[in-house]
Amino acid sequence: MTRHRGPVLACSVIGAAVVALDGTVLTIAQPALQRDLHAHVGQVQWTSTGYLVAVASLLVFAGRLGDRYGHRRVFALGALGFAAASTGIALAPGIGTVIVLRVLQGICGALLQPATLGMLRTACPPDRPGTAIAVRTAAIGLAAAAGPPPARSYAATARCAAFGSAFRAGPSSRMRHERRRISGSAMYGP
């Protein structure tokens, strides 16, 4: 293993986990997203579908880009694009903007996913990449499984915390009711 194995493993795990987490995080938040952005069910479903289609359809191409131009470069481009799209989504004025930015996030996620594996393979000796790849794979599974709890938190705060209104005025009675409903559903699922 190279001496940079620790930072490479950390970046790989975080990058891969973020892509997996973002694939599932909106599942439970969709009703709150629909209500907050005054969107139709089909529009809200496209926020998840657009992301997942973009990631899945570009994985092989993104892996080839990493082979050609370097996995670290592709990882950096994916991470910067993913962060920029996330910021844009937080500030999005409407559902159309959210859908477009989620597709952009999916494109950047597709850049991240194979780059994390390529960076690990470069950092590990050819005969012993198993442990590092197993840690990365476990992180992906845990992140995908953990996606719904952050979404429950989003649904409970109903996006107003992003603009600070929850801190100025305190939670509304609708939010308190939503928190109780969401905390109860956390035990039993959606």
Side-chain angles (χ1 to χ4, degrees):
M1 301 236 170
T2 66
R3 64 186 179 102
H4 300 291
R5 180 184 149 279
V8 168
L9 179 61
C11 285
S12 178
V13 166
I14 291 169
V18 163
V19 173
L21 177 69
D22 236 50
T24 60
V25 75
L26 282 183
T27 304
I28 292 179
Q30 284 182 350
L33 189 64
Q34 181 181 1
R35 184 178 53 248
D36 292 350
L37 296 177
H38 309 290
H40 299 286
V41 172
Q43 292 172 313
V44 174
Q45 288 174 340
W46 270 107
T47 61
S48 294
T49 302
Y51 175 84
L52 294 171
V53 168
V55 169
S57 63
L58 295 173
L59 280 174
V60 174
F61 177 70
R64 182 69 182 120
L65 286 176
D67 291 341
R68 185 174 178 112
Y69 297 108
H71 296 290
R72 287 172 62 185
R73 276 190 189 146
V74 172
F75 179 85
L77 180 64
L80 288 173
F82 200 92
S86 297
T87 302
I89 289 167
L91 302 172
I95 191 69
T97 307
V98 172
I99 293 169
V100 169
L101 290 171
R102 283 288 288 170
V103 171
L104 177 61
Q105 225 178 19
I107 292 167
C108 295
L111 293 173
L112 282 172
Q113 203 63 288
T116 62
L117 188 57
M119 291 183 335
L120 279 181
R121 293 195 63 83
T122 306
C124 298
D127 59 333
R128 298 190 53 203
T131 302
I133 292 172
V135 169
R136 174 191 171 271
T137 304
I140 291 170
L142 290 172
R152 284 188 180 96
S153 173
Y154 169 83
T157 57
R159 228 183 130 174
C160 65
F163 299 106
S165 62
F167 298 110
R168 288 193 303 271
S172 67
S173 62
R174 187 178 108 206
M175 284 179 59
R176 282 191 296 272
H177 173 71
E178 183 70 16
R179 281 192 191 129
R180 272 186 253 125
R181 187 181 70 75
I182 294 298
S183 65
S185 70
M187 201 179 303
Y188 303 110

